[in-house]
């Protein structure tokens, strides 16, 4: 300890001072130290816990020397200083012991606090882990309950929709069957009507065939008649053309180039047949339906337009 070292140094310094005393003083000091040995055990037992035995021995030795040896002020001062130093060393040692004890107490308290804190942390960790597990379990139970409720609700909705769909399907099937039966009856009636219509159509077709044959024969007969009439009309037309050519030839003799017909060949004096032939030559449209006067007017208009 620091106090013990200081006390040792103090005793060593005091011993070196004692060597400087006269021989009789040394002898008296040795005599004074003799009773000191008797009290050494008591002093050592009193200060053994603090480790300050040497300081007490020096203090008692100084007191014994002062009692048996009349010395000068230098010894007294040295002894006082030694006692003061010993006291200071004792106090420092005691203070150091107290500080060491307090430090040990603080260290023990810190160790206990650390152990308690670690135990507290472990307890908190266990509690929190248990709380987490409890919350997770509760959340799972709540989730399972929500899932079950959702499943039950969805299943109920699905059952209602299925029942509704089945009812609608049954209604549609019944309606479709009724419509099918009605359509089948209608088809049967339509088939009967079609059969009757087909029979009537066949009858009418037969009648039409007969009528067509008769009409074809009549048309063939009429075509033959028309051909004959056409031949006659063609011959008559050829004759009229020839007559028209003759009339035009006669009229051309009396007509100046690009001039009107002379009075000797006046259209009004010509017969309708001659006028018609002349109209044919002049290519007058609608001539066959015109009267004599209309033919004259048309011919004059035709010759007038040609002059222009």
């Amino acid at each position: 300890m620091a106090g013990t070292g200081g006390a040792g140094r103090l005793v060593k310094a005091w011993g070196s001072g004692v060597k400087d005393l006269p021989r009789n003083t040394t002898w008296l000091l040795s005599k004074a130290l003799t009773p000191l040995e008797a009290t050494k055990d008591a002093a050592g037992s009193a200060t053994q816990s603090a480790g300050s035995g040497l300081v007490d021995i020096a203090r008692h030795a100084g007191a014994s020397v002062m009692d048996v040896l009349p010395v000068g002020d230098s010894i007294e001062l040295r002894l006082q200083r030694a006692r003061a130093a010993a006291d200071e060393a004792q106090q420092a040692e005691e203070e150091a012991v107290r500080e060491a004890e307090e430090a040990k107490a603080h260290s023990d308290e810190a160790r206990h606090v650390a152990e308690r804190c670690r135990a507290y942390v472990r307890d908190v960790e266990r509690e929190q882990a248990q709380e987490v597990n409890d919350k997770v379990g509760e959340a799972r139970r709540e989730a399972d309950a929500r899932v079950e409720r959702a499943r039950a609700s969805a299943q109920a909705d699905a059952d209602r929709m299925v029942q509704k769909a089945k009812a609608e399907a049954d209604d549609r099937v019944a309606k479709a069957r009724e419509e099918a039966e009605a359509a089948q009856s209608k088809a049967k009636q339509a088939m009967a009507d079609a059969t009757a219509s087909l029979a009537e159509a066949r009858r009418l077709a037969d009648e039409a065939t007969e009528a067509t044959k008769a009409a074809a024969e009549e048309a063939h007969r009429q075509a033959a008649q028309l051909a004959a009439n056409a031949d006659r009309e063609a011959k008559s037309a050829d004759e009229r053309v020839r007559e028209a050519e003759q009339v035009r030839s006669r009229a051309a003799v009396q007509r100046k180039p690009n001039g009107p017909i002379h009075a000797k060949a006046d259209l009004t004096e010509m017969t309708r047949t001659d006028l018609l032939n002349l109209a044919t030559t002049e290519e007058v449209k609608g001539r066959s339906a015109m009267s004599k006067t209309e033919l004259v007017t048309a011919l004059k208009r035709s010759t007038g337009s040609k002059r222009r």
Side-chain angles (χ1 to χ4, degrees):
M1 299 293 288
T4 304
R9 288 194 298 274
L10 179 61
V11 172
K12 186 182 295 185
W14 175 75
S16 63
V18 172
K19 291 179 181 180
D20 296 333
L21 294 177
R23 294 183 178 271
N24 55 353
T25 304
T26 304
W27 178 83
L28 289 175
L29 180 59
S30 64
K31 293 296 182 179
L33 290 177
T34 301
L36 180 61
E37 296 296 331
T39 61
K40 181 178 180 181
D41 295 334
S45 60
T47 59
Q48 185 176 1
S49 60
S52 58
L54 294 177
V55 176
D56 291 336
I57 293 172
R59 186 182 299 115
H60 288 291
S64 298
V65 170
M66 292 301 298
D67 290 337
V68 298
L69 181 65
V71 294
D73 292 337
S74 61
I75 298 299
E76 178 65 21
L77 290 175
R78 291 181 179 181
L79 291 176
Q80 289 179 357
R81 285 195 295 270
R83 284 194 296 271
D87 292 338
E88 291 179 359
Q90 179 67 29
Q91 293 177 358
E93 185 175 6
E94 293 175 355
E95 182 67 21
V97 169
R98 286 195 300 273
E99 292 291 337
E101 291 176 351
E102 290 181 0
K104 184 176 182 301
H106 286 300
S107 177
D108 294 339
E109 180 65 19
R111 184 174 63 256
H112 293 323
V113 169
E115 291 176 354
R116 289 195 298 272
C117 289
R118 286 194 293 270
Y120 172 74
V121 170
R122 287 193 297 270
D123 293 340
V124 171
E125 287 177 349
R126 285 194 298 271
E127 292 176 357
Q128 293 302 314
Q130 184 62 37
E131 185 175 357
V132 169
N133 292 331
D134 294 341
K135 289 183 178 179
V136 170
E138 182 65 23
R140 286 177 178 173
R141 288 190 293 274
E142 292 178 356
D144 293 338
R146 286 197 297 271
V147 169
E148 181 60 25
R149 290 194 297 271
R151 188 200 63 76
S153 178
Q155 185 64 42
D157 294 339
D159 293 339
R160 287 194 296 272
M161 294 299 295
V162 169
Q163 293 298 327
K164 183 178 179 181
K166 287 181 178 179
E168 291 178 355
D170 293 339
D171 293 340
R172 290 181 181 178
V173 168
K175 186 176 180 180
R177 286 177 179 174
E178 293 176 358
E179 291 177 354
E181 291 174 356
Q184 188 175 4
S185 299
K186 186 177 180 180
K188 290 180 180 179
Q189 185 63 37
M191 183 64 68
D193 295 341
T195 302
S197 298
L198 182 59
E200 180 65 18
R202 287 177 179 175
R203 186 184 64 78
L204 294 176
D206 293 339
E207 292 179 358
T209 300
E210 295 297 330
T212 300
K213 288 180 179 179
E217 291 176 355
E218 180 63 22
H220 183 68
R221 187 185 61 78
Q222 289 180 2
Q225 184 65 35
L226 290 175
N229 293 335
D231 290 339
R232 288 195 297 271
E233 288 293 333
K235 292 179 181 178
S236 176
D238 292 338
E239 291 177 356
R240 285 197 299 271
V241 170
R242 285 194 297 272
E243 291 176 358
E245 289 294 336
Q246 292 175 0
V247 172
R248 187 173 60 179
S249 298
R250 291 196 301 269
V253 175
Q254 300 175 358
R255 180 187 301 174
K256 293 181 181 180
N258 298 327
I261 299 176
H262 293 292
K264 293 181 179 180
D266 194 357
L267 297 177
T268 58
E269 296 178 358
M270 298 176 61
T271 64
R272 184 178 181 281
T273 301
D274 293 337
L275 291 174
L276 186 60
N277 292 332
L278 185 57
T280 300
T281 304
E282 295 294 333
E283 297 180 352
V284 177
K285 295 181 179 180
R287 56 187 177 273
S288 58
M290 293 181 182
S291 63
K292 181 179 178 181
T293 303
E294 291 173 345
L295 286 172
V296 171
T297 302
L299 287 171
K300 287 181 178 180
R301 188 183 299 111
S302 176
T303 56
S305 62
K306 286 182 178 181
R307 282 199 307 272
R308 288 193 300 271

